[in-house]
Amino acid sequence: MNIKATLDRIPGGMMVVPLLLGATINTFFPNALRIGGFTEALFVNSSSTLIALFLLIAGTQITFKTAGSSVGKGVTLLVVKWAIGAALGLVAILFADSSGLFLGLAPLAIIAAMTNSNGGLYIALAGQYGKEDDKAAYPFLALSDGPFLTMVALSIFGAMGFANGMFSPMAFVAVLLPLIVGVIIGNLDRNLAEWLHKGSDKLVPFFAFSLGMGINFSSIIQGGLGGIMLGVLTVLLTGGIGYLLFKAIGWNPIVGASEGSTAGNAVGTPAAIVAANASFGPIAEIATVQIAASVVTTAILLPIFIGFLSKRLEKSGGVEKYNQRPST
């Protein structure tokens, strides 16, 4: 059986398929894996531990030795993408209905999905359409991995009185310490960082399955269409604005649009947020589903969107005119 090859052909398959499998078992046979011992520990209760380990490994890939235009491009994309997601999330918080949703979308899902990008997709697109310093911007974009930027946005909104989004300093540290430890390791020993990084992808299907064991199909039905809409908005807003901004600066606009996606690891953000502030618990399930739907939607739609933008650029010389310019 070609299980891995099949999963690889599905956008976000290593995350989405185990998530849906876990949700299926939880919906129809909720007690099948809740039998105690290692079985329940791994397949039902492991998400927090595995997400923490995933964050630590992600942190090892964040270094601060990149110089030149890569810094400007990476930081610009990171800040702009966060600002768009945070701003739309704030609008959703302010105008949410009694169920805590805005147009069917969970504000937590909006912030998490829009501020966290698919690094593999960015590297692939930047490699196809950009040059070396475009790809070298990725380490800065890795700062968006996990719940950090979502927690920053919610903490700011809480401090401003717009939402119950404040986290105690210790809760903030408790969630982010694995990432910080990873950053320290990655900057102290690149060989150790690369060794750890080899195992990161293997964690995704296991914590996705565990998250699925906390989801019922009624939530998938409720949040699925909203998640697709969230994916479309992520591509058009974060990708489209990135395109226009890079074009205005004089950088390759296709690279600016390549951040218009949602990373598979963003599906673990609601669980991490709830671990720091339990008041987000009631909305975490639908937020997880909507983020998962956004992951799949952006993985399919962003390359199509990039192809469309690339053809438009051909009328004015294409991406080659940007790639021929010296880095600044």
Side-chain angles (χ1 to χ4, degrees):
M1 297 178 66
N2 296 316
I3 297 175
K4 184 178 182 301
T6 301
L7 292 176
D8 288 341
R9 287 195 292 268
I10 301 171
M14 280 294 181
M15 183 279 300
V16 174
V17 173
L19 181 81
L20 293 177
L21 180 59
T24 301
I25 294 174
N26 185 61
T27 300
F28 298 106
F29 311 102
N31 297 317
L33 298 176
R34 290 180 169 88
I35 57 176
F38 292 146
T39 297
E40 186 168 351
L42 176 61
F43 294 116
V44 181
N45 301 323
S46 64
S47 59
S48 294
T49 301
L50 294 178
I51 290 170
L53 181 55
F54 185 90
L55 288 177
L56 188 150
I57 294 174
T60 66
Q61 303 308 300
I62 299 173
T63 64
F64 303 98
K65 295 181 179 180
T66 309
S69 61
S70 298
V71 175
K73 292 177 179 179
V75 172
T76 298
L77 282 174
L78 182 71
V79 172
V80 169
K81 189 170 174 65
W82 178 84
I84 295 170
L88 195 58
L90 178 58
V91 171
I93 290 171
L94 294 176
F95 296 98
D97 57 27
S98 58
S99 65
L101 303 179
F102 173 69
L103 300 178
L105 292 173
L108 176 56
I110 293 174
I111 299 172
M114 285 195 167
T115 60
N116 194 340
S117 61
N118 186 327
L121 191 55
Y122 171 83
I123 288 294
L125 293 171
Q128 179 178 353
Y129 294 97
K131 51 185 180 177
E132 287 305 312
D133 65 322
D134 296 317
K135 291 183 286 184
Y138 172 71
F140 296 91
L141 305 179
L143 288 169
S144 69
D145 285 351
F148 174 66
L149 293 183
T150 301
M151 291 183 74
V152 169
L154 292 173
S155 294
I156 292 173
F157 299 158
M160 296 171 65
F162 292 130
N164 180 25
M166 287 299 290
F167 301 91
S168 69
M170 189 52 63
F172 208 99
V173 171
V175 170
L176 296 178
L177 187 57
L179 180 70
I180 296 170
V181 170
V183 172
I184 294 172
I185 292 173
N187 283 272
L188 290 177
D189 187 341
R190 292 310 303 162
N191 290 328
L192 181 56
E194 292 305 314
W195 177 78
L196 287 168
H197 186 58
K198 293 176 183 177
S200 62
D201 291 344
K202 298 176 179 63
L203 298 175
V204 174
F206 291 97
F207 77 64
F209 184 91
S210 179
L211 288 171
M213 286 298 295
I215 295 174
N216 190 286
F217 267 129
S218 61
S219 298
I220 294 179
I221 295 172
Q222 181 182 3
L225 290 177
I228 293 172
M229 181 173 71
L230 177 58
V232 172
L233 288 174
T234 299
V235 171
L236 295 181
L237 291 180
T238 65
I241 292 175
Y243 175 91
L244 295 174
L245 179 61
F246 265 47
K247 188 174 183 180
I249 295 174
W251 293 335
N252 186 340
I254 296 298
V255 174
S258 298
E259 269 286 88
S261 63
T262 300
N265 61 57
V267 76
T269 294
I273 296 298
V274 171
N277 188 332
S279 68
F280 289 94
I283 207 71
E285 186 177 358
I286 190 171
T288 299
V289 171
Q290 290 181 343
I291 293 169
S294 181
V295 171
V296 178
T297 302
T298 58
I300 296 172
L301 188 58
L302 182 59
I304 298 173
F305 185 55
I306 291 293
F308 167 77
L309 294 176
S310 178
K311 289 187 176 181
R312 285 182 59 88
L313 271 183
E314 289 177 0
K315 299 177 181 178
S316 57
V319 297
E320 289 76 13
K321 71 175 183 179
Y322 294 98
N323 293 337
Q324 291 170 357
R325 295 175 183 175
S327 300
T328 56

